[in-house]
Amino acid sequence: MLKHIAVRLRRFHHGQLAFDLNNSKIINANIEKRDPALKNLIEGLISRGMAYTVDGCDLFWFQIDDEHPLSHYEPMNEVEVVFDSDWFEKKKDSFRHMAGMKYFDASAGLAEQFAIKDQNRKIAYHLDSAA
């Protein structure tokens, strides 16, 4: 199952290590730089209280493929947001014809679908081979 996932990491390459340990394949990384709808969704999350950095860990977006359900990732402390990539593509199709502020509002409005985790929490992950 393809999914979009936003993970709090100290270093970008820690994502590769963590997903390898989880038997997950990274399909795309830094996808927010190439997807305006995702960029707007992130702005919606930020306007609702999501911080850029939590406990010294920045937010990195990946598209991954694995057999784990979303519920596997949702409770993980490092995971800020996770959703099905097909769901996101269908949502984007519904407002693809819009432009300007209408497009922004529709894509940023998707942020309402997600709970914002405690932005003062500790992100204490350990990767044995992480540098």
Side-chain angles (χ1 to χ4, degrees), residues 66-85:
D66 62 25
E67 298 302 316
H68 299 296
L70 298 176
S71 60
H72 172 79
Y73 290 103
E74 288 167 342
M76 292 182 177
N77 196 40
E78 305 86 1
V79 175
E80 200 68 53
V81 177
V82 60
F83 52 86
D84 185 297
S85 294

Side-chain angles (χ1 to χ4, degrees), residues 26-74:
I26 295 176
I27 305 301
N28 284 305
N30 294 322
I31 53 179
E32 73 281 7
K33 294 179 180 174
R34 296 180 304 278
D35 188 332
L38 182 58
K39 197 179 288 188
N40 295 341
L41 183 142
I42 294 167
E43 286 300 317
L45 290 167
I46 290 168
S47 72
R48 293 187 55 233
M50 188 180 77
Y52 289 106
T53 303
V54 171
D55 192 31
C57 295
D58 294 327
L59 196 61
F60 295 94
W61 284 84
F62 299 90
Q63 184 181 43
I64 61 170
D65 189 16
D66 62 25
E67 298 302 316
H68 299 296
L70 298 176
S71 60
H72 172 79
Y73 290 103
E74 288 167 342

Side-chain angles (χ1 to χ4, degrees), residues 2 39 71 84 95 101 122-123 129-130:
L2 280 175
K39 197 179 288 188
S71 60
D84 185 297
F95 54 76
M101 284 306 294
K122 296 292 181 193
I123 308 293
S129 59

